[in-house]
Amino acid sequence: MTGTGTIRHEERLLDWDGCLNVRDLGGLPTRDGRRTLPRAVVRADNLDRLTAEGQNSLVDYGVRTVVDLRDPVEYRPLLPAPHGVDLVRVPLDALAGPAWWARFGGLDGTPLSFRPYLDHCRPAIAELVAAVARARPGTVVVHCGAGRDRTGLAALVLLALAGVEPAAVATDYLLSAPNLRPLWTLLDRPDEEAGIARVLADAGTTAEQALHAVLAEFDAEQWLPAADVAAVRERLLGA
């Protein structure tokens, strides 16, 4: 941490054995000059891959609630869930519904999907926000499979509600790509970044520009329950 209270990217990265893309959303600057609190919300990739050591790291970090954004077909826990940790499932892909996928599925994997999701899947966003807002005291970790797309959308919503500067939200999102390079090798799959870049190029934009466009039009606080918005802000910023 620097003298100004800024937390460098590498200081937010968490080493939980078995996962590749875990970081604390604390230390990010807000528009009113504050910083998000550490150990409030953590974003992560597939927690099913955690080893026993990794699970101990999760518990020792203060995690008391896990919000899993995956669909049921993706659940393959390697170990029993840690005792004393609540699990809330909010399957964002399934909640989008077939009509959404037919219309916007080609944008999946890119931040171009975020605006359509916010526009057309408001009950799912409300469910996500409620899961974080109503979690018991302790750190909340939000995760999906790779920790980039569904978790990226969740992080964008939560950080936008807390008033985090758009540049900081975008920078956080972009950290996932290098973190995930070992995953594609592990899964014997090509790196997805080339395909994502093609979709963005066809739309005449970049990931960073697309994120700024979403944040410029972000209005979820106007239709989410006020109590949940207030609770998210209190969790991320304090009283």
Side-chain angles (χ1 to χ4, degrees):
M1 184 176 297
T2 69
T4 61
T6 301
I7 298 178
R8 296 190 299 268
H9 299 322
E10 59 270 22
E11 292 177 313
R12 296 196 295 112
L13 301 181
L14 302 178
D15 183 11
W16 292 356
D17 192 46
C19 283
L20 299 169
N21 191 25
V22 186
R23 57 188 176 275
D24 195 313
L25 293 180
L28 300 178
T30 65
R31 294 179 179 182
D32 62 1
R34 291 185 287 175
R35 298 221 169 238
T36 51
L37 297 173
R39 297 181 186 252
V41 178
V42 169
R43 58 178 296 169
D45 53 315
N46 188 356
L47 297 184
D48 290 351
R49 289 195 295 264
L50 286 175
T51 64
E53 179 183 348
Q55 286 200 357
N56 288 336
S57 297
L58 176 148
V59 173
D60 291 345
Y61 201 73
V63 173
R64 296 299 176 263
T65 302
V66 169
V67 181
D68 185 348
L69 306 177
R70 299 172 302 158
D71 288 351
V73 69
E74 300 175 78
Y75 304 159
R76 292 180 177 86
L78 302 181
L79 293 168
H83 292 295
V85 176
D86 296 335
L87 174 61
V88 183
R89 300 205 191 268
V90 184
L92 290 185
D93 281 353
L95 290 171
W100 188 92
W101 282 98
R103 185 174 177 185
F104 301 109
L107 303 177
D108 185 46
T110 80
L112 293 171
S113 68
F114 291 178
R115 180 74 259 172
Y117 202 99
L118 286 164
D119 286 342
H120 300 284
C121 306
R122 290 183 176 185
I125 294 295
E127 193 171 333
L128 159 69
V129 170
V132 176
R134 303 174 193 180
R136 63 191 173 99
T139 304
V140 177
V141 58
V142 180
H143 83 99
C144 57
R148 181 193 60 201
D149 304 318
R150 289 165 289 188
T151 301
L153 172 62
L156 179 142
V157 169
L158 297 171
L159 294 176
L161 291 176
V164 171
E165 292 179 357
V169 178
T171 297
D172 177 76
Y173 174 89
L174 295 171
L175 291 175
S176 288
N179 291 346
L180 291 174
R181 286 177 188 137
L183 177 63
W184 313 129
T185 301
L186 180 68
L187 298 177
D188 194 25
R189 286 167 45 186
D191 192 320
E192 294 184 353
E193 290 305 308
I196 291 170
R198 284 194 296 271
V199 174
L200 290 165
D202 288 344
T205 189
T206 66
E208 186 173 11
Q209 290 169 342
L211 290 162
H212 278 276
V214 173
L215 291 163
E217 299 178 350
F218 186 85
D219 64 350
E221 71 275 6
Q222 298 179 24
W223 45 264
L224 287 167
D228 286 344
V229 171
V232 165
R233 288 175 175 160
E234 183 175 356
R235 182 176 290 275
L236 279 165
L237 299 171

